[in-house]
Amino acid sequence: MDTFEVESPFEEMKRYVRFTDDDSRALAAFGEVAAPHFERIAAEFYERAREHQEAHAVFTSEEQIERLRRSLVRWMEGLCRGPHDGAYFAERSRIGRVHVRVGLPQRYMFTAMALIRGSFEELVETMPAEARRGTRAALARALDLELAIMLETYREAYVARIERVAEREQERLRGELARSERRAASAVEIARVMVVGVDAAGAIVLFNHEAERVTGYPRDEALGRPFGELLLPGAARGEGDRLLGIASESEAWEAAIRTRSGRERLTRWLLSPVPPTPDDTAALYAVGRDVTDESALLEQTRQSERLAAVGTLAAGLAHEIRNPLNGALLHVTYLERALRRPDGVPDALEAARFIGVEIQRLSALVRDFLVFARPAPPNRRPCSLPEVCRRAHALVADDAAHAKAEVQLDLPATDLTLLLDPDKIEQVLLNLLRNALDSVGGAGGGRVTLRARREPRQALVEVEDDGPGLPSPAAPIFDAFYTTRPQGTGLGLAIVHRAVSDHGGTVEVESRPRRTVFRVRLPLTGDAPATGP
Amino acid sequence: MRTARTLARLLREDGYVVEVEYDSEDAIARLDRAPIPDVLIVDFLLPHADGLAVASHGRARSAALPVLVVTSYSEVLARLDRRLDPPAVVLSKPLAYGDLTRALDGLRTAAAAT
């Protein structure tokens, strides 16, 4: 063998089992003895195969079996005759592939070889004793080489099959990928939202149909242009280059864009940065909607809500003004009549007094209404909350006596200073205390508690009474002009609510008969929402 | 309440027979008894139910009962048209006593004519 040539698989197998020319000669000698028996051995071989279902299954006709039998005889002749070279290997492999092709199960290679081996062994027994050992060794090597070749053809077939399956699978995946890419692309295309992709430098790399529709720019004009330069009006142009920076701070972005025709449209976007990939320069996808019309509609709705609120307020105010005027006017009529009678003076005095009461009611209404409708922004400064509570407590002493009620002060042991407008908070406490006193007073007296506490992040002030409670838990008690008391202006709790809200606090109520608590919470930090103009 | 009492006094002085109820429940209970009044005057806002509930109850007892509603809500006018048939006479607050007596006389004349 030429050492420069690559060893063939067959040479390699022969070397492995040490199959030499001596073996070839021993096989040739065996062939002399065995050749007359080959027809019989082949016949027995196919008789045995008929007994086995899956082996038999590959036979199609008697003629075929006859051909196979002849083929087996030639196979045995070849085995003995040689030469055991590359051509031999190629021929044996071809036969093996036929087995694979007709679907003969692999295990029958072994059973078949066992049959052949057994028949040959019987023939070896007939040979001269000194020849038997070498013949057996040669036959063992040759038959195992035959098996190895047969199994190799099965392996080839399996590998080929696996490759075919893998290829089909890949084919399927490629198709699937192409389909899903097409789907994604058409979803982006037909979506009723603008989808715009930009690269790291802010240049447009994706521009869908809706983006074309809203902006008026056809795709070929938009692609490659900087987003800011194309779509943002002068002053905001730089934002286009900072889109990635904007996206890192907030997903949502609102921008007035300038369309091709020069109109401005208000757009709202969701910005999604994407990690860079070698085959795509897109760095960010912006999904946006034209909200110009929505915003206008929203503004209209807000405006009409404001008008409705003003209307409700005006109607409430009119009602509150007309009632005392009604009482006063009737009493004026009555006063006139009384004055005409000689004995009418006591009645006239009574009527005049009542008219005065109604005028005072009107005056209180105007005062409260102005507080409510035109509140001065809170003038907050560090104040002691317990101090404010003590002052409010002192101011309701007369009301308490009149209502036959006791007002208890329940204040924290340590001082509690926070940023507040003391006048407004005092007004809040007075309104709540007077409501509570009215409630217990109407029930013939009772107890009112003014309590202040520190909570982790806020200060709590409670006004509690043991009166009959609110008539309805769902009543809009914080609305302007809602009142359950004939002399009430319906503004007390509305003023409370506004003042507390202006302080960034909250007010809530819990009410059942014999226990009603208004809870006011004020932030300790003094954080408050920006107050309106 | 005080105003209703004074109104009743003025009307009595002018020769009307007046009964006053201060609460819609009491008013409804009163309308269940005879005699049914010739004219019903209600305030739109009354404790426990609105004046229209009282008016509707009165109409249930006597289909043609003249009803006079006193209100400080001008929009009540529109709602009254739908709720009462024949419609009530609506007087806005503040109420001039002369307007009230003229309306009462008008209703009495109309009732006498039918």
Side-chain angles (χ1 to χ4, degrees), chain A residues 315-316 318-320 322-323 325-331 333-334 337 341 347 350-351 353-354 358 481, chain B residues 2-4 6-7 9-11 13-14 43 45 70-75 92-97 100:
Chain A
H319 178 255
E320 291 305 318
R322 282 167 174 169
N323 267 332
L325 282 180
N326 187 52
L329 187 59
L330 268 174
H331 281 82
T333 308
Y334 186 72
R337 286 197 184 179
R341 293 200 308 266
D347 282 345
E350 179 62 17
R353 197 191 62 77
F354 185 80
E358 294 291 56
F481 301 121
Chain B
R2 174 70 200 249
T3 302
T6 305
L7 178 59
R9 262 174 97 170
L10 286 170
L11 286 170
E13 283 179 9
D14 288 342
D43 194 320
L45 272 186
V70 182
T71 178
S72 56
Y73 290 106
S74 44
E75 71 268 28
S92 289
K93 291 183 188 176
L95 178 65
Y97 180 73
L100 176 69

Side-chain angles (χ1 to χ4, degrees), chain A residues 21 58 81 145 160 170 219 224 234 244 246 286 297 307 323 368 376 383 389 392 403 452-453 458 461 486 523 528-529:
Chain A
D21 289 348
V58 305
R81 189 177 59 235
L145 283 174
Q170 275 196 342
R219 192 161 315 176
L244 270 172
I246 293 170
L297 197 65
L307 286 175
N323 267 332
D368 283 2
C383 286
C389 290
R453 288 286 182 270
Q458 47 207 349
V461 185

Side-chain angles (χ1 to χ4, degrees), chain A residues 157-185:
Chain A
Y158 286 137
V159 168
R161 227 163 90 191
I162 288 166
E163 282 174 349
R164 270 199 308 280
V165 168
E167 192 144 320
R168 271 204 303 275
E169 181 67 11
Q170 275 196 342
E171 192 70 23
R172 197 181 63 77
L173 281 178
R174 274 197 293 275
E176 192 68 29
L177 197 64
R179 245 192 320 280
S180 87
E181 270 175 7
R182 276 199 303 279
R183 278 186 200 130

Side-chain angles (χ1 to χ4, degrees), chain A residues 152-343:
Chain A
E152 197 63 14
T153 61
Y154 274 92
R155 191 193 64 84
E156 278 172 11
Y158 286 137
V159 168
R161 227 163 90 191
I162 288 166
E163 282 174 349
R164 270 199 308 280
V165 168
E167 192 144 320
R168 271 204 303 275
E169 181 67 11
Q170 275 196 342
E171 192 70 23
R172 197 181 63 77
L173 281 178
R174 274 197 293 275
E176 192 68 29
L177 197 64
R179 245 192 320 280
S180 87
E181 270 175 7
R182 276 199 303 279
R183 278 186 200 130
S186 56
V188 165
E189 199 45 34
I190 64 170
R192 299 293 285 172
V193 289
M194 293 182 279
V195 182
V196 176
V198 298
D199 65 14
I204 295 172
V205 296
L206 174 74
F207 206 71
N208 77 338
H209 179 70
E210 179 72 358
E212 288 181 315
R213 193 186 68 79
V214 172
T215 66
Y217 287 105
R219 192 161 315 176
D220 53 321
E221 275 186 41
L223 290 177
R225 297 272 299 278
F227 186 95
E229 184 193 301
L230 183 72
L231 295 173
L232 299 180
R237 198 156 288 177
E239 288 208 356
D241 303 334
R242 294 197 302 105
L243 277 184
L244 270 172
I246 293 170
S248 68
E249 283 160 24
S250 157
E251 194 188 30
W253 181 53
E254 200 167 276
I257 63 165
R258 195 201 41 212
T259 67
R260 195 177 193 213
S261 61
R263 283 191 309 157
E264 283 210 357
R265 306 293 292 176
L266 185 62
T267 53
R268 207 167 285 150
W269 300 83
L270 282 179
L271 304 177
S272 312
V274 286
T277 61
D279 56 342
D280 191 1
T281 55
L284 176 127
Y285 289 109
V287 178
R289 277 187 313 127
D290 180 354
V291 295
T292 315
D293 299 336
E294 282 173 39
S295 294
L297 197 65
L298 197 65
E299 187 47 43
Q300 272 172 20
T301 310
R302 279 195 195 126
Q303 183 61 26
S304 59
E305 275 170 1
R306 270 198 294 273
L307 286 175
V310 168
T312 306
L313 205 60
L317 186 63
H319 178 255
E320 291 305 318
I321 289 173
R322 282 167 174 169
N323 267 332
L325 282 180
N326 187 52
L329 187 59
L330 268 174
H331 281 82
V332 167
T333 308
Y334 186 72
L335 180 63
E336 284 172 348
R337 286 197 184 179
L339 286 174
R340 279 193 213 109
R341 293 200 308 266
D343 60 341

